[in-house]
mmCIF file of all heavy atoms in Angstrom:
data_model
loop_
_atom_site.group_PDB
_atom_site.id
_atom_site.type_symbol
_atom_site.label_atom_id
_atom_site.label_comp_id
_atom_site.label_asym_id
_atom_site.label_seq_id
_atom_site.Cartn_x
_atom_site.Cartn_y
_atom_site.Cartn_z
ATOM 1 N N LYS A 271 -8.754 3.415 9.426
ATOM 2 C CA LYS A 271 -9.803 3.213 8.390
ATOM 3 C C LYS A 271 -9.713 4.237 7.289
ATOM 4 O O LYS A 271 -10.204 3.945 6.192
ATOM 5 C CB LYS A 271 -11.176 3.246 9.098
ATOM 6 C CG LYS A 271 -11.411 2.343 10.236
ATOM 7 C CD LYS A 271 -11.524 0.865 9.746
ATOM 8 C CE LYS A 271 -11.904 -0.044 10.837
ATOM 9 N NZ LYS A 271 -12.023 -1.490 10.339
ATOM 10 N N GLY A 272 -9.137 5.373 7.550
ATOM 11 C CA GLY A 272 -9.081 6.385 6.514
ATOM 12 C C GLY A 272 -8.145 6.110 5.452
ATOM 13 O O GLY A 272 -8.383 6.271 4.229
ATOM 14 N N LEU A 273 -6.886 5.672 5.830
ATOM 15 C CA LEU A 273 -5.871 5.403 4.807
ATOM 16 C C LEU A 273 -6.035 4.113 4.102
ATOM 17 O O LEU A 273 -5.613 3.932 2.954
ATOM 18 C CB LEU A 273 -4.466 5.407 5.548
ATOM 19 C CG LEU A 273 -3.964 6.824 5.901
ATOM 20 C CD1 LEU A 273 -2.560 6.628 6.670
ATOM 21 C CD2 LEU A 273 -3.763 7.628 4.728
ATOM 22 N N HIS A 274 -6.713 3.148 4.726
ATOM 23 C CA HIS A 274 -6.994 1.865 4.075
ATOM 24 C C HIS A 274 -5.700 1.205 3.563
ATOM 25 O O HIS A 274 -5.552 0.937 2.338
ATOM 26 C CB HIS A 274 -7.972 1.981 2.934
ATOM 27 C CG HIS A 274 -9.381 2.293 3.342
ATOM 28 N ND1 HIS A 274 -10.199 1.346 3.865
ATOM 29 C CD2 HIS A 274 -10.070 3.487 3.356
ATOM 30 C CE1 HIS A 274 -11.354 1.918 4.139
ATOM 31 N NE2 HIS A 274 -11.303 3.203 3.864
ATOM 32 N N LEU A 275 -4.750 1.065 4.439
ATOM 33 C CA LEU A 275 -3.468 0.370 4.035
ATOM 34 C C LEU A 275 -3.756 -1.108 3.820
ATOM 35 O O LEU A 275 -3.988 -1.839 4.830
ATOM 36 C CB LEU A 275 -2.386 0.547 5.115
ATOM 37 C CG LEU A 275 -1.027 -0.023 4.792
ATOM 38 C CD1 LEU A 275 -0.383 0.741 3.595
ATOM 39 C CD2 LEU A 275 -0.128 -0.029 6.023
ATOM 40 N N GLU A 276 -3.838 -1.503 2.562
ATOM 41 C CA GLU A 276 -4.356 -2.815 2.240
ATOM 42 C C GLU A 276 -3.302 -3.660 1.432
ATOM 43 O O GLU A 276 -2.542 -3.100 0.623
ATOM 44 C CB GLU A 276 -5.593 -2.719 1.383
ATOM 45 C CG GLU A 276 -6.814 -2.012 2.092
ATOM 46 C CD GLU A 276 -7.964 -1.885 1.127
ATOM 47 O OE1 GLU A 276 -7.819 -2.065 -0.036
ATOM 48 O OE2 GLU A 276 -9.021 -1.500 1.674
ATOM 49 N N SER A 277 -3.269 -4.901 1.701
ATOM 50 C CA SER A 277 -2.425 -5.830 0.893
ATOM 51 C C SER A 277 -3.019 -5.949 -0.518
ATOM 52 O O SER A 277 -4.232 -5.764 -0.760
ATOM 53 C CB SER A 277 -2.358 -7.167 1.527
ATOM 54 O OG SER A 277 -1.808 -7.085 2.788
ATOM 55 N N VAL A 278 -2.131 -6.326 -1.467
ATOM 56 C CA VAL A 278 -2.606 -6.600 -2.827
ATOM 57 C C VAL A 278 -2.574 -8.088 -2.987
ATOM 58 O O VAL A 278 -1.507 -8.714 -3.081
ATOM 59 C CB VAL A 278 -1.681 -5.902 -3.853
ATOM 60 C CG1 VAL A 278 -2.099 -6.200 -5.295
ATOM 61 C CG2 VAL A 278 -1.619 -4.390 -3.625
ATOM 62 N N ASP A 279 -3.809 -8.680 -3.067
ATOM 63 C CA ASP A 279 -3.902 -10.164 -3.007
ATOM 64 C C ASP A 279 -3.109 -10.873 -4.074
ATOM 65 O O ASP A 279 -2.491 -11.926 -3.803
ATOM 66 C CB ASP A 279 -5.378 -10.544 -3.123
ATOM 67 C CG ASP A 279 -6.167 -10.133 -1.878
ATOM 68 O OD1 ASP A 279 -5.520 -9.914 -0.806
ATOM 69 O OD2 ASP A 279 -7.378 -9.904 -1.985
ATOM 70 N N ILE A 280 -3.059 -10.309 -5.308
ATOM 71 C CA ILE A 280 -2.452 -11.029 -6.358
ATOM 72 C C ILE A 280 -1.024 -10.504 -6.667
ATOM 73 O O ILE A 280 -0.414 -10.786 -7.694
ATOM 74 C CB ILE A 280 -3.259 -10.896 -7.719
ATOM 75 C CG1 ILE A 280 -3.482 -9.409 -8.022
ATOM 76 C CG2 ILE A 280 -4.614 -11.657 -7.524
ATOM 77 C CD1 ILE A 280 -4.223 -9.208 -9.359
ATOM 78 N N ALA A 281 -0.413 -9.771 -5.728
ATOM 79 C CA ALA A 281 0.852 -9.169 -5.910
ATOM 80 C C ALA A 281 1.957 -10.262 -5.956
ATOM 81 O O ALA A 281 1.923 -11.189 -5.164
ATOM 82 C CB ALA A 281 1.170 -8.158 -4.803
ATOM 83 N N ARG A 282 2.983 -10.065 -6.837
ATOM 84 C CA ARG A 282 4.129 -10.926 -6.889
ATOM 85 C C ARG A 282 5.123 -10.628 -5.745
ATOM 86 O O ARG A 282 5.950 -11.396 -5.418
ATOM 87 C CB ARG A 282 4.833 -10.804 -8.220
ATOM 88 C CG ARG A 282 3.919 -11.252 -9.400
ATOM 89 C CD ARG A 282 3.597 -12.753 -9.334
ATOM 90 N NE ARG A 282 4.800 -13.514 -9.572
ATOM 91 C CZ ARG A 282 5.251 -13.933 -10.796
ATOM 92 N NH1 ARG A 282 4.472 -13.545 -11.874
ATOM 93 N NH2 ARG A 282 6.280 -14.639 -10.945
ATOM 94 N N ASP A 283 4.996 -9.381 -5.252
ATOM 95 C CA ASP A 283 5.816 -8.951 -4.105
ATOM 96 C C ASP A 283 4.910 -8.788 -2.919
ATOM 97 O O ASP A 283 4.005 -7.953 -2.866
ATOM 98 C CB ASP A 283 6.534 -7.627 -4.367
ATOM 99 C CG ASP A 283 7.604 -7.260 -3.403
ATOM 100 O OD1 ASP A 283 7.373 -7.535 -2.176
ATOM 101 O OD2 ASP A 283 8.632 -6.628 -3.810
ATOM 102 N N ALA A 284 5.101 -9.646 -1.880
ATOM 103 C CA ALA A 284 4.148 -9.685 -0.758
ATOM 104 C C ALA A 284 4.160 -8.383 0.103
ATOM 105 O O ALA A 284 3.269 -8.156 0.904
ATOM 106 C CB ALA A 284 4.521 -10.817 0.170
ATOM 107 N N ARG A 285 5.157 -7.505 -0.196
ATOM 108 C CA ARG A 285 5.220 -6.306 0.547
ATOM 109 C C ARG A 285 4.353 -5.167 -0.002
ATOM 110 O O ARG A 285 4.322 -4.087 0.553
ATOM 111 C CB ARG A 285 6.671 -5.824 0.735
ATOM 112 C CG ARG A 285 7.614 -6.841 1.376
ATOM 113 C CD ARG A 285 9.009 -6.465 1.251
ATOM 114 N NE ARG A 285 9.447 -6.552 -0.186
ATOM 115 C CZ ARG A 285 10.656 -6.259 -0.615
ATOM 116 N NH1 ARG A 285 11.579 -5.824 0.302
ATOM 117 N NH2 ARG A 285 10.959 -6.381 -1.918
ATOM 118 N N MET A 286 3.808 -5.330 -1.179
ATOM 119 C CA MET A 286 2.989 -4.358 -1.847
ATOM 120 C C MET A 286 1.750 -4.048 -1.056
ATOM 121 O O MET A 286 1.021 -4.917 -0.663
ATOM 122 C CB MET A 286 2.662 -4.809 -3.284
ATOM 123 C CG MET A 286 3.815 -4.743 -4.283
ATOM 124 S SD MET A 286 4.244 -3.005 -4.603
ATOM 125 C CE MET A 286 5.377 -3.327 -6.017
ATOM 126 N N ARG A 287 1.439 -2.723 -0.838
ATOM 127 C CA ARG A 287 0.253 -2.307 -0.221
ATOM 128 C C ARG A 287 -0.298 -1.103 -1.077
ATOM 129 O O ARG A 287 0.424 -0.504 -1.896
ATOM 130 C CB ARG A 287 0.557 -1.749 1.122
ATOM 131 C CG ARG A 287 1.220 -2.738 2.119
ATOM 132 C CD ARG A 287 0.259 -3.838 2.583
ATOM 133 N NE ARG A 287 0.857 -4.647 3.580
ATOM 134 C CZ ARG A 287 1.586 -5.796 3.350
ATOM 135 N NH1 ARG A 287 1.815 -6.106 2.121
ATOM 136 N NH2 ARG A 287 2.123 -6.464 4.283
ATOM 137 N N THR A 288 -1.556 -0.857 -0.830
ATOM 138 C CA THR A 288 -2.137 0.423 -1.361
ATOM 139 C C THR A 288 -2.727 1.233 -0.220
ATOM 140 O O THR A 288 -3.140 0.675 0.790
ATOM 141 C CB THR A 288 -3.231 0.099 -2.421
ATOM 142 O OG1 THR A 288 -4.381 -0.504 -1.792
ATOM 143 C CG2 THR A 288 -2.737 -0.792 -3.543
ATOM 144 N N ILE A 289 -2.744 2.546 -0.402
ATOM 145 C CA ILE A 289 -3.377 3.441 0.565
ATOM 146 C C ILE A 289 -4.428 4.314 -0.237
ATOM 147 O O ILE A 289 -4.228 4.627 -1.404
ATOM 148 C CB ILE A 289 -2.370 4.272 1.327
ATOM 149 C CG1 ILE A 289 -1.548 5.168 0.371
ATOM 150 C CG2 ILE A 289 -1.482 3.415 2.206
ATOM 151 C CD1 ILE A 289 -0.750 6.140 1.050
ATOM 152 N N ARG A 290 -5.375 4.709 0.493
ATOM 153 C CA ARG A 290 -6.471 5.567 -0.116
ATOM 154 C C ARG A 290 -6.103 6.983 -0.211
ATOM 155 O O ARG A 290 -5.656 7.589 0.827
ATOM 156 C CB ARG A 290 -7.752 5.414 0.706
ATOM 157 C CG ARG A 290 -8.981 6.157 0.073
ATOM 158 C CD ARG A 290 -10.155 5.961 1.044
ATOM 159 N NE ARG A 290 -11.350 6.552 0.451
ATOM 160 C CZ ARG A 290 -11.734 7.796 0.568
ATOM 161 N NH1 ARG A 290 -10.927 8.625 1.209
ATOM 162 N NH2 ARG A 290 -12.787 8.248 -0.055
ATOM 163 N N ILE A 291 -6.108 7.551 -1.360
ATOM 164 C CA ILE A 291 -5.967 9.037 -1.576
ATOM 165 C C ILE A 291 -7.335 9.669 -1.579
ATOM 166 O O ILE A 291 -7.575 10.673 -0.846
ATOM 167 C CB ILE A 291 -5.182 9.353 -2.920
ATOM 168 C CG1 ILE A 291 -3.862 8.590 -2.885
ATOM 169 C CG2 ILE A 291 -5.007 10.822 -3.047
ATOM 170 C CD1 ILE A 291 -2.885 8.974 -1.764
ATOM 171 N N ASN A 292 -8.181 9.206 -2.443
ATOM 172 C CA ASN A 292 -9.616 9.577 -2.461
ATOM 173 C C ASN A 292 -10.396 8.374 -3.040
ATOM 174 O O ASN A 292 -9.851 7.273 -3.166
ATOM 175 C CB ASN A 292 -9.857 10.882 -3.187
ATOM 176 C CG ASN A 292 -9.455 10.795 -4.667
ATOM 177 O OD1 ASN A 292 -9.416 9.731 -5.265
ATOM 178 N ND2 ASN A 292 -9.090 11.950 -5.247
ATOM 179 N N ASP A 293 -11.659 8.592 -3.425
ATOM 180 C CA ASP A 293 -12.488 7.503 -3.858
ATOM 181 C C ASP A 293 -11.929 6.888 -5.186
ATOM 182 O O ASP A 293 -12.165 5.664 -5.431
ATOM 183 C CB ASP A 293 -13.878 8.012 -4.204
ATOM 184 C CG ASP A 293 -14.669 8.313 -2.914
ATOM 185 O OD1 ASP A 293 -14.222 7.866 -1.863
ATOM 186 O OD2 ASP A 293 -15.672 9.025 -3.010
ATOM 187 N N PHE A 294 -11.133 7.645 -5.977
ATOM 188 C CA PHE A 294 -10.686 7.147 -7.229
ATOM 189 C C PHE A 294 -9.177 6.928 -7.396
ATOM 190 O O PHE A 294 -8.752 6.406 -8.354
ATOM 191 C CB PHE A 294 -11.199 8.063 -8.359
ATOM 192 C CG PHE A 294 -12.690 8.247 -8.368
ATOM 193 C CD1 PHE A 294 -13.265 9.359 -7.851
ATOM 194 C CD2 PHE A 294 -13.498 7.287 -8.866
ATOM 195 C CE1 PHE A 294 -14.631 9.551 -7.839
ATOM 196 C CE2 PHE A 294 -14.872 7.432 -8.910
ATOM 197 C CZ PHE A 294 -15.461 8.632 -8.363
ATOM 198 N N TRP A 295 -8.401 7.350 -6.394
ATOM 199 C CA TRP A 295 -6.942 7.300 -6.521
ATOM 200 C C TRP A 295 -6.339 6.511 -5.363
ATOM 201 O O TRP A 295 -6.845 6.587 -4.214
ATOM 202 C CB TRP A 295 -6.375 8.699 -6.549
ATOM 203 C CG TRP A 295 -6.710 9.418 -7.886
ATOM 204 C CD1 TRP A 295 -7.754 10.143 -8.117
ATOM 205 C CD2 TRP A 295 -5.898 9.431 -9.043
ATOM 206 N NE1 TRP A 295 -7.757 10.558 -9.436
ATOM 207 C CE2 TRP A 295 -6.598 10.180 -9.970
ATOM 208 C CE3 TRP A 295 -4.660 8.866 -9.374
ATOM 209 C CZ2 TRP A 295 -6.160 10.369 -11.297
ATOM 210 C CZ3 TRP A 295 -4.163 9.118 -10.630
ATOM 211 C CH2 TRP A 295 -4.939 9.812 -11.643
ATOM 212 N N ARG A 296 -5.323 5.791 -5.620
ATOM 213 C CA ARG A 296 -4.621 5.018 -4.572
ATOM 214 C C ARG A 296 -3.068 5.283 -4.735
ATOM 215 O O ARG A 296 -2.547 5.461 -5.814
ATOM 216 C CB ARG A 296 -4.838 3.516 -4.791
ATOM 217 C CG ARG A 296 -6.253 3.059 -4.602
ATOM 218 C CD ARG A 296 -6.626 3.143 -3.077
ATOM 219 N NE ARG A 296 -7.967 2.636 -2.806
ATOM 220 C CZ ARG A 296 -9.119 3.341 -2.885
ATOM 221 N NH1 ARG A 296 -8.997 4.632 -3.286
ATOM 222 N NH2 ARG A 296 -10.235 2.836 -2.607
ATOM 223 N N GLY A 297 -2.428 5.221 -3.600
ATOM 224 C CA GLY A 297 -0.953 5.224 -3.614
ATOM 225 C C GLY A 297 -0.517 3.798 -3.413
ATOM 226 O O GLY A 297 -1.153 2.991 -2.700
ATOM 227 N N VAL A 298 0.590 3.464 -4.165
ATOM 228 C CA VAL A 298 1.162 2.143 -4.008
ATOM 229 C C VAL A 298 2.426 2.239 -3.157
ATOM 230 O O VAL A 298 3.284 3.054 -3.394
ATOM 231 C CB VAL A 298 1.565 1.592 -5.410
ATOM 232 C CG1 VAL A 298 2.082 0.161 -5.243
ATOM 233 C CG2 VAL A 298 0.319 1.545 -6.327
ATOM 234 N N VAL A 299 2.440 1.428 -2.079
ATOM 235 C CA VAL A 299 3.442 1.510 -1.076
ATOM 236 C C VAL A 299 4.139 0.122 -0.871
ATOM 237 O O VAL A 299 3.532 -0.911 -0.955
ATOM 238 C CB VAL A 299 2.822 1.923 0.295
ATOM 239 C CG1 VAL A 299 3.878 1.955 1.380
ATOM 240 C CG2 VAL A 299 2.140 3.240 0.192
ATOM 241 N N LEU A 300 5.476 0.202 -0.775
ATOM 242 C CA LEU A 300 6.222 -0.959 -0.377
ATOM 243 C C LEU A 300 6.458 -0.927 1.069
ATOM 244 O O LEU A 300 7.073 -0.004 1.608
ATOM 245 C CB LEU A 300 7.600 -0.945 -1.132
ATOM 246 C CG LEU A 300 8.319 -2.292 -1.159
ATOM 247 C CD1 LEU A 300 7.592 -3.366 -1.930
ATOM 248 C CD2 LEU A 300 9.737 -2.109 -1.685
ATOM 249 N N ALA A 301 5.841 -1.904 1.774
ATOM 250 C CA ALA A 301 5.884 -1.941 3.295
ATOM 251 C C ALA A 301 6.987 -2.849 3.759
ATOM 252 O O ALA A 301 7.185 -3.962 3.198
ATOM 253 C CB ALA A 301 4.521 -2.352 3.781
ATOM 254 N N PRO A 302 7.569 -2.556 4.888
ATOM 255 C CA PRO A 302 8.618 -3.453 5.455
ATOM 256 C C PRO A 302 7.972 -4.761 6.004
ATOM 257 O O PRO A 302 6.893 -4.733 6.500
ATOM 258 C CB PRO A 302 9.266 -2.644 6.598
ATOM 259 C CG PRO A 302 8.165 -1.707 6.988
ATOM 260 C CD PRO A 302 7.348 -1.376 5.724
ATOM 261 N N ASP A 303 8.644 -5.842 5.828
ATOM 262 C CA ASP A 303 8.162 -7.125 6.447
ATOM 263 C C ASP A 303 9.122 -7.688 7.402
ATOM 264 O O ASP A 303 9.083 -8.788 7.807
ATOM 265 C CB ASP A 303 7.965 -8.126 5.260
ATOM 266 C CG ASP A 303 9.231 -8.458 4.533
ATOM 267 O OD1 ASP A 303 10.267 -7.827 4.813
ATOM 268 O OD2 ASP A 303 9.167 -9.303 3.570
ATOM 269 N N ASP A 304 10.015 -6.751 7.919
ATOM 270 C CA ASP A 304 11.032 -7.189 8.882
ATOM 271 C C ASP A 304 10.901 -6.504 10.169
ATOM 272 O O ASP A 304 11.883 -6.477 10.998
ATOM 273 C CB ASP A 304 12.414 -6.962 8.286
ATOM 274 C CG ASP A 304 12.641 -5.537 7.793
ATOM 275 O OD1 ASP A 304 11.714 -4.687 8.074
ATOM 276 O OD2 ASP A 304 13.596 -5.255 7.105
ATOM 277 N N GLY A 305 9.756 -5.852 10.484
ATOM 278 C CA GLY A 305 9.613 -5.204 11.684
ATOM 279 C C GLY A 305 10.124 -3.758 11.771
ATOM 280 O O GLY A 305 9.924 -3.078 12.730
ATOM 281 N N SER A 306 10.727 -3.242 10.669
ATOM 282 C CA SER A 306 11.251 -1.882 10.622
ATOM 283 C C SER A 306 10.037 -0.939 10.337
ATOM 284 O O SER A 306 8.930 -1.327 10.092
ATOM 285 C CB SER A 306 12.368 -1.764 9.564
ATOM 286 O OG SER A 306 11.846 -2.035 8.319
ATOM 287 N N ASP A 307 10.335 0.393 10.282
ATOM 288 C CA ASP A 307 9.269 1.349 10.071
ATOM 289 C C ASP A 307 9.456 2.228 8.856
ATOM 290 O O ASP A 307 8.877 3.309 8.756
ATOM 291 C CB ASP A 307 9.189 2.223 11.322
ATOM 292 C CG ASP A 307 10.475 3.023 11.642
ATOM 293 O OD1 ASP A 307 11.423 2.832 10.870
ATOM 294 O OD2 ASP A 307 10.490 3.812 12.541
ATOM 295 N N THR A 308 10.250 1.824 7.903
ATOM 296 C CA THR A 308 10.449 2.622 6.662
ATOM 297 C C THR A 308 9.585 2.152 5.537
ATOM 298 O O THR A 308 9.713 0.953 5.106
ATOM 299 C CB THR A 308 11.925 2.570 6.261
ATOM 300 O OG1 THR A 308 12.786 3.024 7.269
ATOM 301 C CG2 THR A 308 12.169 3.430 4.981
ATOM 302 N N PHE A 309 8.726 3.032 5.042
ATOM 303 C CA PHE A 309 7.811 2.693 3.966
ATOM 304 C C PHE A 309 8.265 3.443 2.736
ATOM 305 O O PHE A 309 8.699 4.646 2.811
ATOM 306 C CB PHE A 309 6.404 3.065 4.295
ATOM 307 C CG PHE A 309 5.790 2.238 5.390
ATOM 308 C CD1 PHE A 309 6.158 2.392 6.717
ATOM 309 C CD2 PHE A 309 4.819 1.284 5.102
ATOM 310 C CE1 PHE A 309 5.646 1.613 7.726
ATOM 311 C CE2 PHE A 309 4.256 0.458 6.097
ATOM 312 C CZ PHE A 309 4.686 0.631 7.389
ATOM 313 N N LEU A 310 8.084 2.873 1.517
ATOM 314 C CA LEU A 310 8.458 3.507 0.272
ATOM 315 C C LEU A 310 7.239 3.674 -0.591
ATOM 316 O O LEU A 310 6.568 2.754 -0.983
ATOM 317 C CB LEU A 310 9.481 2.596 -0.452
ATOM 318 C CG LEU A 310 9.941 3.158 -1.853
ATOM 319 C CD1 LEU A 310 10.754 4.398 -1.652
ATOM 320 C CD2 LEU A 310 10.815 2.088 -2.561
ATOM 321 N N LEU A 311 6.933 4.960 -0.855
ATOM 322 C CA LEU A 311 5.817 5.267 -1.799
ATOM 323 C C LEU A 311 6.357 5.185 -3.211
ATOM 324 O O LEU A 311 7.239 5.910 -3.561
ATOM 325 C CB LEU A 311 5.230 6.649 -1.510
ATOM 326 C CG LEU A 311 3.985 7.083 -2.306
ATOM 327 C CD1 LEU A 311 2.822 6.132 -1.938
ATOM 328 C CD2 LEU A 311 3.629 8.519 -1.989
ATOM 329 N N VAL A 312 5.793 4.237 -3.998
ATOM 330 C CA VAL A 312 6.320 3.950 -5.323
ATOM 331 C C VAL A 312 5.475 4.454 -6.489
ATOM 332 O O VAL A 312 5.971 4.608 -7.559
ATOM 333 C CB VAL A 312 6.649 2.462 -5.489
ATOM 334 C CG1 VAL A 312 7.693 2.012 -4.530
ATOM 335 C CG2 VAL A 312 5.367 1.672 -5.354
#
């Protein structure tokens, strides 16, 4: 619940996620969709 790894509903790339940094900042993450565990902070 703290990181809030969330999908981006209108994203053209279905792997796009955001995570919570604080109330006003978000990290944009490319998440694997193939079962692997490597995430890319973009």
Side-chain angles (χ1 to χ4, degrees):
K271 301 290 187 182
L273 285 177
H274 290 283
L275 184 67
E276 299 175 347
S277 299
V278 180
D279 293 337
I280 57 175
R282 299 294 293 271
D283 191 325
R285 298 168 296 177
M286 285 291 191
R287 304 285 189 273
T288 65
I289 59 172
R290 184 181 185 275
I291 303 300
N292 60 27
D293 289 342
F294 302 102
W295 291 86
R296 294 291 184 273
V298 182
V299 178
L300 195 66
D303 59 358
D304 52 9
S306 63
D307 61 355
T308 301
F309 291 74
L310 178 66
L311 186 63
V312 296

